[in-house]
Amino acid sequence: MNSLEQRILKDGIVLDSDILKVDSFLNHQVDVKLLKAMGSEFLELFSDKKDEINKILTIEASGIAIAAFVAEAFNVPMVFAKKGEHKNVGNDVYTADVYSFTKGRTYEIAVSKKYINKGDKILVIDDFLANGQAVLGLKSLIEQGGAEMVGAGIAIEKAFQPGRQKLKEAGIDLRALAVIESMSPETGVKFGTN
Amino acid sequence: MNSLEQRILKDGIVLDSDILKVDSFLNHQVDVKLLKAMGSEFLELFSDKKDEINKILTIEASGIAIAAFVAEAFNVPMVFAKKGEHKNVGNDVYTADVYSFTKGRTYEIAVSKKYINKGDKILVIDDFLANGQAVLGLKSLIEQGGAEMVGAGIAIEKAFQPGRQKLKEAGIDLRALAVIESMSPETGVKFGTN
């Protein structure tokens, strides 16, 4: 069992069969020692591709801290796509629309054309996978730049949601540190494998 | 000259006397090796207070990666306040209004009451200081929680803007890695001291 799975069992709060709160260590208060361990564990998870990956891409805001430590482990730069307003990125951007099931609306993500280049081999990192919309949006940004998406490294995958299937259909190599098969407040979290 | 000052001289782009673009290494594409060095330099900058600081607080999104490496250097947790919509934080939050001069509007920031506690000695970290509104908003969150703001560690201070004066008036111990006294596309960046 890796660091994240252990921590989910210890401090994750299962609100219902769909919602896991990890805001005490992952996406509001952040345990940077855990994130550093996760960086190493992502490096191990993608060890067969580690020599080709030259950039980490994530999306603001809760992916940033995780992606930063993954980038440190891979010894490559990290880029984070901006959500919604992004005047300060400039006009020379790739954009994609992402539908959020949580918020019930579509938002735009953008990344400066300067930071996705032909020949880049990019690993996408995000905190949660549920419906896969954010990852598909990031894949679109990568392809607009003529770069290659090497895979998607997800901290917590809700395997009972359609995300994995959608990413598979898009040809994405998806690997998660914690694959949640099912959960409930009574029985807790049941992990599966990639 | 510290790592950030050197990097600003090398890769920062001065668009006019007010706008410095650092998106190739700090707030869009992120050089995590630089951020790691900045974490150590912030630890040195606040070395007289390092034993009391037990938490780092920042604000999404561009403060997060910097604050993560500062938290690693201080060996304490990092918390990031959420902007705007924050349903996923829950209702039990401290909030403050922050006026953005860049965007010409006020937005709300929020942090769960669980992560600011009486007795906490909190160092605020942010990427830029111009008018000081974000730091003052974070100070309000800290004080609503009965905690103490030990200081504000800023990556890049625009010393020709009113931020420093406003933070001084609020009794905040402000220290920046890069204090920009003035800049222009012709003459470049002129650094001052804290």
Side-chain angles (χ1 to χ4, degrees), chain A residues 26-71:
Chain A
L26 197 66
N27 56 13
H28 187 19
Q29 180 168 256
V30 177
D31 179 345
V32 294
K33 268 187 267 190
L34 171 67
L35 263 60
K36 197 162 173 76
M38 287 168 58
S40 303
E41 287 162 359
F42 271 118
L43 181 65
E44 201 176 319
L45 202 56
F46 284 94
S47 57
D48 55 320
K49 295 184 166 182
K50 73 166 194 274
D51 293 331
E52 56 177 319
I53 291 166
N54 76 326
K55 202 169 277 178
I56 305 296
L57 178 66
T58 190
I59 188 169
E60 63 181 25
S62 47
I64 294 177
I66 301 168
F69 286 98
V70 176

Side-chain angles (χ1 to χ4, degrees), chain A residues 4 8 12-13 18-23 25-28 38 42 58-59 62-63 66 102 107 124-135 138 152-161 163 167 174-176 178 180 183, chain B residues 82 88:
Chain A
L4 179 59
I8 288 170
I13 297 171
D18 195 38
I19 301 177
L20 173 69
K21 296 278 282 183
V22 290
D23 64 351
F25 55 93
L26 197 66
N27 56 13
H28 187 19
M38 287 168 58
F42 271 118
T58 190
I59 188 169
S62 47
I66 301 168
T102 318
Y107 59 92
V124 166
I125 293 288
D126 208 1
D127 58 343
F128 273 98
L129 178 73
N131 287 285
Q133 301 304 302
V135 173
L138 293 169
I154 301 293
I156 302 174
E157 180 196 346
K158 295 176 177 175
F160 50 87
Q161 296 266 40
L167 268 49
L174 166 68
R175 308 182 195 182
I180 298 182
M183 59 184 180
Chain B
K82 313 255 180 170
N88 58 342

Side-chain angles (χ1 to χ4, degrees), chain A residues 109-127:
Chain A
I109 61 174
V111 68
S112 167
K113 292 182 182 177
K114 283 185 286 182
Y115 305 125
I116 295 186
N117 306 114
K118 219 170 180 166
D120 277 348
K121 307 258 187 178
I122 301 178
L123 175 64
V124 166
I125 293 288
D126 208 1
D127 58 343

Side-chain angles (χ1 to χ4, degrees), chain B residues 75-95:
Chain B
N75 196 23
V76 298
M78 181 267 280
V79 176
F80 59 92
K82 313 255 180 170
K83 273 183 194 170
E85 294 174 62
H86 47 78
K87 279 185 197 164
N88 58 342
V89 188
N91 294 318
D92 216 19
V93 294
Y94 302 119
T95 64

Side-chain angles (χ1 to χ4, degrees), chain A residues 30 36 72 78 85 105, chain B residues 30 36 72 78 85 105:
Chain A
V30 177
K36 197 162 173 76
E72 191 191 19
M78 182 267 281
E85 294 174 63
R105 60 175 181 78
Chain B
V30 177
K36 196 160 173 78
E72 190 189 20
M78 181 267 280
E85 294 174 62
R105 61 175 180 79

